[in-house]
Amino acid sequence: METLKRYRSPLGDALALLICGVLAGVLAAAAAFPLFATGGIVAGNSIESFESLPTELTKPTLPQTSYVYASDGETLITSFYEENRREVSLDDVSPVMINALLAAEDSKFYEHPGVDWAGIVRAAVANQGGGQQGASTLTMQFVRNTLIYSASTIDEVIEASEDTYERKLREARYAMAIEETMSKEEILQGYLNVIYLGNQAYGVQAGAYSYFNKPPGELELHEAATLASLPKFPSYADGLLDGEGDDTQIIDRRNWVLDRMATLEYISETEAAEAKEQPLDLNPREVRSECVDVATADWGFFCDFFKSWWGDQEVFGETERDRISLLKRGGYRIVTSLDPKLQESAMDSIHDEIDDDDVRALGSVTVTPGTGHVRSMAVNRVYSLDQIDNGPRSDGKDIPSNYPNTTIPLLSGNNESAGFPAGSTFKMFTMLAALEEGWPLSMKVPSPKQYTSQYAVGAAADEEVRCNRQVDQYNNEFWNWCPTTENYSAGPPLDFWGMFGKSSNTGFVQLQEMVGTSKAVEMAERLGVTFYGESGVQQAREGKDEKEADESLDSNYGVFTLGMGDSTTPIDMAEAYAAVAAEGMHCEPLPVLSVTGADGEEWVEASETDCEQVVDKDVARAAISAARCPVNDSDSKSRCVGGTAGEARGFDRPIMGKTGTADSDRAYWFMASTPNATTATFVGDPDSSSHKDLAADFHDEVRGTGVDILRAAVKGLDEKDWPAPSDKMVNGKNLVSIPGIGCESVDSAKSRVASAGFDVSVSPGRFDSECKRGEAFSTSVTGSAPKGSPIYILVSNGSGYEEDGGDEGDGDETPGPGDGPDFPGGPGND
């Protein structure tokens, strides 16, 4: 559309200014326009005659809607906005829409200099007679609306909209100045993007979609006339998009616009008559708003994670508030990593096992190793603020429960929702720490039914896991923690493949003692696990510096490797296991594939993966080799002897994983991964993470669901495998031989083991052996170990000593590594 030439003369401008001054009063006019004592009222074509234009008028920045799509770039998840608006260029708007607005609002737009002085006179005369006729030009409306939308305080809004002569004169000044700095087409385009059209639709783009579900370039005549009727009377459309309300007023106004278009010869009388015969024919597109209004209810949990992620990214602003404001105003096109097909498959797998109104939450998260892209977040819940009809809480509290409706971030967590204890899935962190310290996969660790650990517990501990009662100087009772393991994992010593595959509790507690709890915790954090304030890790660290905190963990926090004292979330566990699957490459969970600004420029920095090699590749490959055992898989170096996840048997590509049962069946987990997809699946009670026996008899369902989701996740992806670990990781390198111990004094045994280069101490408790009571008879680990490793001297309880026909012991016998009929040779023996 060409810019029309406008005739401007000093005499015409002077006359216009004189009329305005008369209408507004001499004082107001004097304040508004320049007066020269010798020349009277003078005006010219230059904007130097007027006050400076605000930046928001010369470079207006209107809030625009940000749209969030699934990974296909087409499926709309939701939108974020303060005002539902999307700016368009003039070329994107049909001529009939432009003509309808000009006919309704300012038919002389291309003739006046920003102010229609003749119209002002007509309105003034009419209003003096009691009428309510307006005289604002399209340019003046553009000025007023732009100032309102760019206002940062309520006072600025009032100043831009109050019905006073001062405001109108200022508006007129700005309008005339705008006409000198912008073309008519630029002003018209700005107006089309700033007008309010009712029902939270700002601008012609939002209006066209809100009422007719089509772009403004495809509007028909009767539709364009309907939209053009709304800038002055947006309330006429109230209720109509919901199928309610009275359409009489908007139809009358639309027909007036059509008649006006015919009068101005934009259309013919016949076209106007035919258009007036058309019904409103509304076809509204549902406007999605934030996470409680996503296209599919179960996408809300992913949306919530995305919004939280956005609020944490410094690239979007200095503060979280600034970042969320940018999301709601910036007009971004965001393509996320959510795979709608995988999400649907995951929800189907979950609903095959459990309903939304079950107190148990069965959920799963899928992450891509090597990128961190979050592909699905599924749980048997509806993301909704309406919790009035939710079921009763399991903890008895008089507040809404979480089922079936909730907005609690069950899959991603926060300070108020820290997740669930993850059980033996934490053994991965202890194993990695041990491998990193130089302990080889082939090293064998005793796996007794019960083990007397170095960790102390108080009277509150369950009787079945405490032994070796002691009393301190203050007469306080304490015991050693004596964890047990399942029958299928108890027996002869196990190497790392056997320990991880059979999930030996007693073996891993010993491994943790040798490595140090602090190193296992540090490994978990390195891989992405967050420990919140009430976790056992944080309590052990509370009030201590780093060195003291590590010592506290190493001395007192034995349950870490069994996943009993720390809650975690599916997103954290998927992140951690994905880092292992990516051969030690940790990637921050990332919910976006691309972020494009309103100007069409892609924010590359916003969608870049944040990855770092945090574990040596060979160490990670060794852990993967052992982690193939629980899911009945293997590589060329594996020596698996059984697994805990039979459901994965027959999976048609390389897989690793781990099961985990929280203490007292409070939760159950199944981790599973291929080289290009990782899933974390769990069941627990979000109302009460201490709900005992909740996961009992539901283990098979969790594993089955996890396998099904992983199978759906790798569908269509290339089949990949991991390299086998090196011989160094399998058999060790530069290991030091541990001296053999045989029925000797404790001091002698300590001296010889220490001289070999190990950190030696005496294991608490007494153990079955053929040596005399009180004699050292073995070490916790036999054979070879990395130099400097902690080695424990085992002391006999005399139960197998035969010289005097046996010794009944001294009253402090406790179960030890040698207990059990399947382990006759004593601890550490092969």
Side-chain angles (χ1 to χ4, degrees):
M1 188 180 296
E2 296 183 3
T3 303
L4 298 186
K5 294 182 179 180
R6 293 166 283 173
Y7 176 73
R8 301 287 298 277
S9 71
L11 179 60
D13 284 345
L15 177 61
L17 294 173
L18 178 60
I19 294 171
C20 184
V22 170
L23 292 174
V26 175
L27 291 178
F33 301 101
L35 292 176
F36 297 90
T38 57
I41 300 177
V42 179
N45 290 332
S46 174
I47 65 168
E48 293 176 358
S49 302
F50 311 107
E51 62 184 68
S52 300
L53 283 169
T55 303
E56 54 264 32
L57 286 177
T58 57
K59 297 180 179 179
T61 302
L62 300 175
Q64 296 190 65
T65 302
S66 293
Y67 293 101
V68 182
Y69 296 90
S71 60
D72 57 12
E74 298 178 356
T75 304
L76 181 66
I77 296 174
T78 192
S79 59
F80 291 86
Y81 59 84
E82 289 181 358
E83 295 173 355
N84 180 22
R85 174 191 286 109
R86 193 75 177 185
E87 291 191 50
V88 293
S89 69
L90 204 58
D91 293 337
D92 294 326
V93 183
S94 66
V96 70
M97 181 71 245
I98 294 172
N99 287 336
L101 280 168
L102 292 176
E105 298 297 323
D106 189 357
S107 61
K108 296 184 178 180
F109 173 67
Y110 283 100
E111 301 172 19
H112 61 63
V115 180
D116 181 5
W117 301 111
I120 288 177
V121 172
R122 286 195 304 270
V125 173
N127 294 343
Q128 287 294 322
Q132 290 186 340
Q133 192 173 124
S136 290
T137 63
L138 185 148
T139 309
M140 293 171 68
Q141 292 182 52
F142 168 67
V143 167
R144 179 167 63 253
N145 283 299
T146 301
L147 290 176
I148 291 173
Y149 295 139
S150 61
S152 57
T153 67
I154 189 63
D155 289 339
E156 291 178 357
V157 173
I158 294 173
E159 183 182 8
S161 58
E162 60 185 346
D163 189 17
T164 64
Y165 280 121
E166 288 80 2
R167 189 268 295 173
K168 292 177 181 178
L169 287 170
R170 182 174 61 252
E171 209 170 86
R173 291 199 305 270
Y174 285 161
M176 294 178 70
I178 281 288
E179 291 270 350
E180 294 289 348
T181 61
M182 296 173 65
S183 70
K184 284 289 187 180
E185 286 70 31
E186 290 172 331
I187 296 169
L188 181 56
Q189 179 173 297
Y191 172 77
L192 289 170
N193 286 312
V194 80
I195 52 175
Y196 178 58
L197 298 173
N199 286 292
Q200 300 302 308
Y202 293 83
V204 69
Q205 169 89 347
Y209 276 104
S210 293
Y211 291 99
F212 302 108
N213 197 19
K214 60 175 61 175
E218 298 178 8
L219 292 169
E220 299 180 31
L221 175 58
H222 69 286
E223 297 169 336
T226 300
L227 288 185
S229 70
L230 292 173
K232 274 192 174 66
F233 305 101
S235 63
Y236 284 1
D238 287 352
L240 296 181
L241 298 187
D242 297 325
E244 302 175 356
D246 184 0
D247 61 6
T248 303
Q249 288 179 307
I250 195 172
I251 289 177
D252 288 345
R253 174 71 176 170
R254 178 201 69 176
N255 292 345
W256 177 87
V257 173
L258 291 167
D259 287 339
R260 179 78 175 142
M261 293 177 74
T263 299
L264 295 168
E265 298 184 352
Y266 294 159
I267 60 174
S268 67
E269 295 286 350
T270 301
E271 289 174 319
E274 290 176 350
K276 286 195 285 186
E277 292 298 319
Q278 295 290 329
L280 282 181
D281 202 23
L282 299 179
N283 179 31
R285 180 176 74 171
E286 190 171 4
V287 179
R288 300 292 177 189
S289 178
E290 304 213 16
C291 299
V292 293
D293 192 27
V294 292
T296 302
D298 60 81
W299 294 356
F301 297 97
F302 176 88
C303 175
D304 183 89
F305 172 66
F306 158 76
K307 184 179 179 182
S308 177
W309 170 87
W310 184 285
D312 287 339
Q313 304 308 303
E314 294 183 0
V315 68
F316 298 127
E318 292 186 5
T319 67
E320 181 181 7
R321 182 177 179 180
D322 292 340
R323 298 160 195 159
I324 297 301
S325 176
L326 184 64
L327 175 62
K328 294 181 179 181
R329 296 173 60 90
Y332 293 97
R333 185 181 191 276
I334 302 155
V335 179
T336 70
S337 56
L338 179 69
D339 183 336
K341 292 182 179 179
L342 175 58
Q343 177 74 14
E344 183 178 11
S345 294
M347 289 303 303
D348 287 344
S349 296
I350 287 170
H351 283 147
D352 284 345
E353 304 293 348
I354 196 167
D355 295 329
D356 290 345
D357 58 358
D358 197 301
V359 66
R360 296 169 296 184
L362 174 60
S364 185
V365 171
T366 303
V367 170
T368 301
T371 67
H373 286 126
V374 181
R375 294 179 57 198
S376 70
M377 298 181 74
V379 65
N380 61 319
R381 294 292 187 269
V382 177
Y383 194 87
S384 173
L385 292 170
D386 182 9
Q387 285 132 36
I388 295 175
D389 296 325
N390 276 11
R393 290 182 64 93
S394 59
D395 58 8
K397 293 181 180 178
D398 189 22
I399 55 177
S401 71
N402 69 86
Y403 64 96
N405 296 347
T406 187
T407 55
I408 298 173
L410 301 178
L411 303 171
S412 52
N414 56 23
N415 285 320
E416 287 73 41
S417 177
F420 304 88
S424 291
T425 60
F426 270 31
K427 290 173 181 173
M428 170 64 79
F429 310 131
T430 304
M431 180 169 66
L432 277 165
L435 291 167
E436 192 171 69
E437 288 294 301
W439 298 90
L441 284 166
S442 60
M443 188 195 73
K444 293 189 175 182
V445 178
S447 183
K449 176 64 178 175
Q450 189 166 37
Y451 170 67
T452 303
S453 77
Q454 64 167 320
Y455 305 108
V457 294
D462 293 339
E463 290 187 7
E464 60 266 26
V465 292
R466 69 186 192 192
C467 54
N468 194 24
R469 176 182 174 275
Q470 302 169 62
V471 179
D472 65 16
Q473 59 180 327
Y474 303 107
N475 207 35
N476 294 317
E477 290 183 310
F478 65 96
W479 291 259
N480 288 102
W481 178 51
C482 304
T484 62
T485 195
E486 300 293 339
N487 288 330
Y488 59 77
S489 62
L494 297 170
D495 56 26
F496 281 27
W497 292 287
M499 253 200 314
F500 204 74
K502 288 190 170 186
S503 196
S504 170
N505 289 343
T506 54
F508 266 95
V509 170
Q510 293 173 78
L511 191 62
Q512 180 177 256
E513 288 177 331
M514 292 185 283
V515 175
T517 305
S518 60
K519 290 181 180 177
V521 170
E522 189 274 333
M523 177 62 71
E525 292 177 322
R526 209 190 306 171
L527 295 175
V529 176
T530 299
F531 298 106
Y532 293 98
E534 295 184 0
S535 71
V537 167
Q538 293 297 69
Q539 289 181 33
R541 290 170 166 171
E542 188 174 2
K544 304 176 181 68
D545 61 26
E546 184 176 350
K547 181 179 180 182
E548 291 173 335
D550 286 349
E551 291 175 351
S552 175
L553 288 169
D554 292 340
S555 301
N556 305 313
Y557 198 46
V559 299
F560 175 79
T561 195
L562 305 187
M564 293 168 56
D566 298 280
S567 292
T568 188
T569 62
I571 192 75
D572 275 12
M573 291 305 293
E575 175 185 352
Y577 270 71
V580 180
E583 299 180 48
M585 177 73 72
H586 168 258
C587 299
E588 293 291 337
L590 182 62
V592 300
L593 300 178
S594 66
V595 178
T596 305
D599 58 1
E601 293 293 322
E602 185 172 351
W603 286 43
V604 177
E605 183 181 356
S607 58
E608 285 181 335
T609 58
D610 183 4
C611 300
E612 180 184 1
Q613 192 76 35
V614 297
V615 177
D616 179 80
K617 284 187 177 182
D618 207 15
V619 171
R621 289 170 184 170
I624 292 168
S625 182
R628 298 175 83 146
C629 296
V631 289
N632 300 283
D633 195 24
S634 62
D635 59 29
S636 60
K637 303 288 182 69
S638 297
R639 304 173 190 172
C640 299
V641 290
T644 56
E647 288 77 6
R649 188 177 290 109
F651 197 82
D652 59 356
R653 58 177 69 198
I655 182 176
M656 73 167 195
K658 185 72 183 76
T659 57
T661 307
D663 188 38
S664 301
D665 263 316
R666 293 178 290 156
Y668 185 74
W669 292 71
F670 177 53
M671 306 300 305
S673 184
T674 68
N676 44 17
T678 301
T679 62
T681 307
F682 82 104
V683 65
D685 180 1
D687 280 346
S688 175
S689 62
S690 61
H691 189 163
K692 293 185 178 182
D693 298 322
L694 175 126
D697 302 322
F698 210 67
H699 296 187
D700 294 348
E701 289 80 358
V702 176
R703 294 193 300 268
T705 299
V707 170
D708 288 345
I709 293 174
L710 184 61
R711 185 172 284 114
V714 298
K715 186 177 181 180
L717 300 182
D718 292 339
E719 182 174 333
K720 297 181 178 180
D721 199 356
W722 295 281
S726 67
D727 288 340
K728 170 188 171 183
M729 298 307 303
V730 172
N731 299 310
K733 186 176 181 180
N734 299 324
L735 300 180
V736 177
S737 295
I738 302 171
I741 304 298
C743 297
E744 58 188 273
S745 72
V746 172
D747 288 341
S748 171
K750 286 178 62 178
S751 176
R752 293 199 298 116
V753 174
S755 296
F758 297 102
D759 181 9
V760 63
S761 57
V762 178
S763 181
R766 298 293 184 268
F767 304 87
D768 291 348
S769 85
E770 296 180 356
C771 296
K772 292 181 180 179
R773 184 179 61 198
E775 288 184 333
F777 68 94
S778 185
T779 51
S780 54
V781 178
T782 59
S784 300
K787 187 175 182 179
S789 298
I791 300 294
Y792 295 95
I793 304 297
L794 304 184
V795 181
S796 175
N797 61 19
S799 62
Y801 183 62
E802 296 182 352
E803 183 180 64
D804 56 0
D807 193 328
E808 296 301 321
D810 58 3
D812 63 351
E813 296 91 345
T814 58
D819 288 347
D822 297 327
F823 190 52
N829 294 333
D830 293 341

